[in-house]
Amino acid sequence: MIVMLKLYYSPNSCSLASHIVLEESGAAYELALTNSRDGSTRTPEFLALNPKARVPALLTDLGVLTENPVILGWVAQSFPDAGLAPNDDTFLFGDMQAFNMFLSATVHVAFAHHFRPERYVDGDDHRAAVKAKAAQAVAEQFRLIEAKLSDGRPWVHGERYWTSDPYLLVFSRWLGETGLGTLDDYPHAKAHRARVEARPAVQRALKAEGLS
Ligand SMILES: N[C@@H](CCC(=O)N[C@@H](CS)C(=O)NCC(=O)O)C(=O)O
């Protein structure tokens, strides 16, 4: 039995996906605000939990899990009654994780070129060029997401709300906030965002992070 869960998170960061999924799961958990802006991702205590100095990190009775797709899959499997993943179908579970990995490794990384150009190149001119390229990369990925949703399905994988839905919400929110694009160009993704944000658990998680 899982008795302790503590999520290290930063408001409106990618850890929002793990936060929402914990809230949807019905599990008891604590939140620990951990922000790169105030240096709390670099404290010795946090680095001992996650040497990568990133959120989300989920402290459990068994140890620490990092990486959104892993945390999302683990929460969904650990609290199966919440129906957050196709736990009884390994292929569909893999398909859900493929989408989550795409968000983590491709979509998030496209945004990271905007947020953190210094990770990729040195020099102001080069950084400006990397930032400028981010909008193009993000648009390319959102076109793929829009195509997936364009058959009118309510959720990323069809008729059921799984972990990919709150994870996609993170990037749908970032799109307009960063100025890298607008969801008006992706009407199915825009409707998807509204559906996810209307869920009571999502509202609670957004409120807890001080977001509207
Ligand atoms: N691959 C990781 C990425 C985690 C990540 O980059 N988290 C960001 C917040 S969105 C972070 O902690 N940034 C702090 C920093 O870069 O210093 C995942 O998907 O969980």
Side-chain angles (χ1 to χ4, degrees), residues 11-195:
N12 210 29
S13 78
C14 64
S15 57
L16 177 61
S18 290
H19 184 179
I20 291 172
V21 164
L22 277 170
E23 189 62 33
E24 297 269 14
S25 76
Y29 65 96
E30 280 175 56
L31 288 173
L33 182 60
T34 309
N35 208 316
S36 60
R37 281 182 290 278
D38 69 8
S40 51
T41 50
R42 298 253 163 215
T43 61
E45 294 76 21
F46 186 69
L47 290 174
L49 292 175
N50 184 10
K52 293 177 284 190
R54 304 275 175 94
V55 291
L58 182 66
L59 180 60
T60 78
D61 296 325
L62 301 168
V64 179
L65 287 176
T66 61
E67 305 295 329
N68 268 301
V70 170
I71 295 172
L72 300 183
W74 184 82
V75 171
Q77 288 181 329
S78 301
F79 302 96
D81 291 350
L84 293 166
N87 288 317
D88 52 359
D89 186 320
T90 54
F91 183 83
L92 287 182
F93 192 89
D95 192 44
M96 179 193 80
Q97 288 298 63
F99 188 82
N100 291 345
M101 288 302 304
F102 160 71
L103 292 180
S104 170
T106 303
V107 178
H108 191 162
V109 172
F111 277 99
H113 284 74
H114 169 80
F115 289 128
R116 307 263 186 191
E118 70 280 3
R119 272 192 194 145
Y120 303 98
V121 287
D122 290 322
D124 290 346
D125 288 354
H126 289 121
R127 285 178 190 169
V130 165
K131 256 174 121 67
K133 186 85 181 166
Q136 196 183 318
V138 165
E140 212 170 290
Q141 305 318 325
F142 261 87
R143 279 196 291 274
L144 291 175
I145 292 164
E146 183 68 5
K148 190 171 178 67
L149 296 171
S150 66
D151 60 4
R153 59 182 66 195
W155 307 116
V156 169
H157 297 287
E159 295 302 316
R160 303 281 302 275
Y161 172 90
W162 289 338
T163 63
S164 301
D165 296 296
Y167 198 10
L168 174 57
L169 174 68
V170 169
F171 304 104
S172 295
R173 290 175 61 89
W174 286 1
L175 183 68
E177 289 169 3
T178 53
L180 289 177
T182 166
L183 274 186
D184 291 339
D185 290 339
Y186 309 102
H188 293 95
K190 186 174 179 177
H192 175 268
R193 172 184 171 168
R195 271 192 291 275

